[in-house]
Amino acid sequence: MKEKVAVIGGGPAGIIAAGFASSRNKEVKLFEKNNKLGKKLFITGKGRCNITNNADVETFLDNVTTNKDFLYSALYSYTNRDILALLNKCGLKTKVERGGRIFPVSDKSSDIIKAFEKFLIEKNVDIILNKEVNKVSHRDGFFTLTFKDSSSENFDKVIIATGGKSYPITGSTGDGYKFAKDLGHSTIALKPGLVPCETKEKWVRDLQGLTLKNISISAYIGNKKTYENFGEMLFTHFGLTGPIILTMSNIINKHVSAKEEIILYIDLKPALSFEKLDNRILKDFDKYNNKQIKNGLKDLLPQKLIPIILRLSNINESQYINQITKEERIRLIENIKKLKLNFLKFRPIEEAIITSGGISTLEINPSTMESKLVKGLFFAGEVIDVDSLTGGYNLQNAYSTGYLAGINC
């Protein structure tokens, strides 16, 4: 008689876990409370879904920000090459873009879901949609799943792959943490990971929608530089977002409860030293000598940003360039090279791309994803206290941990 395995959660971790568990001659039921699989995948990468990255395994590990050592075995056991081979075999064509990010050629996340569904069907997984698990209990070597409709079913083994608590509209409402707690596991405090931040400055509202490319940002906690990166960011009505801001959030969110203030500095012209920027501005001043200063910086800065920089530099925007003093010019350069923003807080976890925190890795075997506390209980994906930076790295964590759970259950 086949062992019965329940996989809770139809995201990438649950799909991979279910498929590989079934390939080991198990009777596998995949429970998803939504009306379709991979609902969160549909919205990732602006609907395109950054499947994984083209990097080597060591680079994947370098991009892990929480519990890197725990993921070592998983990432080496099931690599980006493995997931791409699986998806390609199921009919998905992929392409590599900037930063090694891998997307479907069609730019449609729905095509990834179709490939995963084909994989599950080929592996004879019983896919049960619109079925919400309310409770998981363990007694006499069996697991009992109690559902929202009050029905229940017994299983030999259970894989919890319910995701985190970000994007609750996709079904990631933290169910797995409750199941784990009821079974004796502990959870590391949940925080938003890869999330925009709010600033104390109100002038950011005037810049809403402005994207800055090829800039650098630094974050200081106390007097210590905690983060520095180069790339693209976007102003919002509440603060900042964009690739380098999301990455920053996953680095400094470990410090947001600290008493020290967090100060952000944006270098709008990182390719130019203070002296070279001064020379550049002098040339522009010479070119627009008889114009007002607000019209003399249009070759250097985005139009929306000019009045803000002038205000922070204590320069009247109607002042003529030929009246600008050296001291005023220096203040202008200082604000271009070191635009200061006072960090207020991160946006709520519901707006985060991933959840930082989760089931303690100390209670999970990193080689199998099996619980060290309850035999036959496994975890996979974002529900575990592991997270990485943007670029397809977090989804690979899901595939890799799902694989280990599947082949070991």
Side-chain angles (χ1 to χ4, degrees):
M1 190 173 178
K2 290 183 179 180
E3 275 193 319
K4 290 181 64 179
V5 177
V7 180
I8 310 173
I15 289 169
I16 295 298
F20 280 100
S22 187
S23 68
R24 297 183 61 246
N25 199 33
K26 309 283 183 178
E27 182 185 331
V28 180
K29 290 189 176 183
L30 174 58
F31 296 100
E32 170 54 54
K33 66 180 179 181
N34 289 311
N35 60 358
K36 56 186 175 184
L37 296 173
K39 199 167 182 180
K40 191 174 179 181
L41 282 176
F42 275 102
I43 63 172
T44 59
K46 297 179 181 178
R48 296 172 65 218
C49 188
N50 180 187
I51 305 165
T52 186
N53 198 284
N54 199 37
D56 57 29
V57 177
E58 285 303 314
T59 301
F60 273 89
L61 288 165
D62 288 342
N63 278 274
V64 177
T65 52
T66 305
N67 293 318
K68 171 181 175 178
D69 291 345
F70 177 83
L71 285 171
Y72 190 92
S73 180
L75 290 173
Y76 267 104
S77 296
Y78 196 75
T79 70
N80 49 355
R81 311 291 174 222
D82 295 319
I83 188 63
L84 290 174
L86 183 152
L87 290 170
N88 293 160
K89 185 180 177 183
C90 291
L92 184 75
K93 295 181 180 179
T94 57
K95 60 182 177 178
V96 182
E97 295 190 1
R98 178 180 55 85
R101 291 169 167 82
I102 297 177
F103 293 89
V105 167
S106 65
D107 285 330
K108 294 179 180 178
S109 57
S110 57
D111 287 343
I112 299 171
I113 305 300
K114 289 175 185 175
F116 276 140
E117 287 175 339
K118 184 177 181 181
F119 166 66
L120 291 174
I121 292 168
E122 288 178 352
K123 297 298 182 183
N124 296 311
V125 173
D126 188 2
I127 305 167
I128 305 171
L129 303 176
N130 298 304
K131 192 75 169 178
E132 184 173 349
V133 179
N134 264 4
K135 185 178 181 181
V136 181
S137 54
H138 181 249
R139 186 176 180 181
D140 298 330
F142 288 95
F143 294 89
T144 301
L145 269 58
T146 305
F147 303 97
K148 191 176 181 180
D149 60 10
S150 298
S151 63
S152 63
E153 189 170 353
N154 292 332
F155 293 88
D156 298 290
K157 293 176 180 177
V158 169
I159 300 174
I160 296 176
T162 49
K165 208 172 180 181
S166 58
Y167 282 112
I169 58 170
T170 65
S172 298
T173 52
D175 301 343
Y177 307 125
K178 178 183 178 299
F179 301 153
K181 184 178 179 181
D182 289 345
L183 293 166
H185 275 271
S186 53
T187 302
I188 305 302
L190 306 180
K191 292 184 178 182
L194 302 178
V195 69
C197 73
E198 298 182 23
T199 61
K200 294 179 182 178
E201 287 74 16
K202 302 302 181 186
W203 52 257
V204 296
R205 296 173 184 170
D206 298 330
L207 300 176
Q208 182 179 354
L210 175 64
T211 296
L212 298 178
K213 297 182 179 181
N214 302 319
I215 58 95
S216 70
I217 189 166
S218 304
Y220 285 78
I221 299 177
N223 294 317
K224 183 181 179 182
K225 184 190 289 187
T226 308
Y227 173 83
E228 185 174 19
N229 203 353
F230 173 89
E232 182 179 322
M233 58 157 282
L234 171 71
F235 286 101
T236 69
H237 66 284
F238 54 76
L240 312 173
T241 189
I244 62 174
I245 302 301
L246 298 179
T247 298
M248 178 190 76
S249 72
N250 219 19
I251 302 297
I252 69 172
N253 70 358
K254 281 75 175 173
H255 305 280
V256 290
S257 60
K259 292 181 180 179
E260 297 99 336
E261 283 189 315
I262 299 176
I263 307 295
L264 310 177
Y265 292 103
I266 300 172
D267 186 345
L268 298 167
K269 296 293 174 182
L272 298 176
S273 65
F274 192 99
E275 293 73 18
K276 286 183 178 179
L277 180 56
D278 191 19
N279 290 333
R280 163 68 194 275
I281 288 176
L282 285 171
K283 287 180 182 178
D284 285 359
F285 279 10
D286 187 55
K287 179 180 178 181
Y288 299 110
N289 186 47
N290 295 316
K291 291 186 178 293
Q292 293 176 322
I293 183 68
K294 65 181 178 182
N295 298 316
L297 296 173
K298 61 183 181 180
D299 296 345
L300 186 67
L301 297 171
Q303 192 64 43
K304 250 184 173 182
L305 191 54
I306 292 173
I308 302 295
I309 293 294
L310 290 174
R311 192 188 316 158
L312 295 172
S313 304
N314 198 25
I315 299 173
N316 188 321
E317 62 181 59
S318 298
Q319 192 170 335
Y320 283 88
I321 288 174
N322 55 25
Q323 297 174 338
I324 298 294
T325 66
K326 181 180 179 180
E327 288 75 18
E328 287 173 324
R329 194 178 76 246
I330 289 172
R331 291 203 302 270
L332 179 65
I333 296 168
E334 287 173 342
N335 277 295
I336 292 173
K337 291 292 292 177
K338 209 171 183 180
L339 179 58
K340 182 180 178 181
L341 286 152
N342 290 277
F343 173 89
L344 181 61
K345 62 181 179 179
F346 288 118
R347 295 294 286 176
I349 196 169
E350 290 78 13
E351 296 179 28
I353 293 176
I354 61 165
T355 302
S356 184
I359 310 304
S360 174
T361 55
L362 296 177
E363 300 169 356
I364 304 171
N365 184 330
S367 299
T368 63
M369 296 299 131
E370 185 174 16
S371 164
K372 293 179 179 178
L373 310 181
V374 183
K375 187 173 175 57
L377 175 65
F378 296 77
F379 298 97
E382 195 179 342
V383 73
I384 305 171
D385 180 28
V386 291
D387 54 82
S388 299
L389 302 180
T390 56
Y393 300 111
N394 285 291
L395 277 178
Q396 186 62 49
N397 293 347
Y399 311 136
S400 298
T401 55
Y403 171 78
L404 282 185
I407 66 167
N408 286 290
C409 73

